[in-house]
Amino acid sequence: MQADMQAKQAELDAREYEVSAGGGVVKVKINGKKEILNIDISPEIVDPDDIETLSDILVAAVNESIKKVDSTNEAELGQITGGLSGLGLF
């Protein structure tokens, strides 16, 4: 089971995910190691007089991308461990 988990973890680490926020005006690309690879910002959201909105959307997009990696990892590793990984045993 340990070899299966290591192989699955390597596969999950190599995956890339794209998450959007603000109706698609901000897109974040993240890998399975939770490293941000790219942030794409649509020009229409860039308002020098309203940096706070842009900041809020960026934070939401990054947080959502991290949640996506976590939930995918938990679900797929849980298939190998029978749900034991959620107990902090692995």
Side-chain angles (χ1 to χ4, degrees), residues 43-90:
E44 66 263 16
I45 192 65
V46 180
D47 179 356
D49 296 325
D50 189 12
I51 298 299
E52 187 176 341
T53 297
L54 177 58
S55 179
D56 290 345
I57 293 171
L58 285 168
V59 168
V62 169
N63 285 336
E64 187 60 34
S65 65
I66 292 170
K67 286 179 190 175
K68 185 170 189 172
V69 171
D70 285 342
S71 65
T72 300
N73 287 354
E74 185 176 325
E76 294 202 22
L77 289 173
Q79 291 175 355
I80 295 171
T81 64
L84 295 176
S85 63
L87 300 174
L89 300 175
F90 297 97

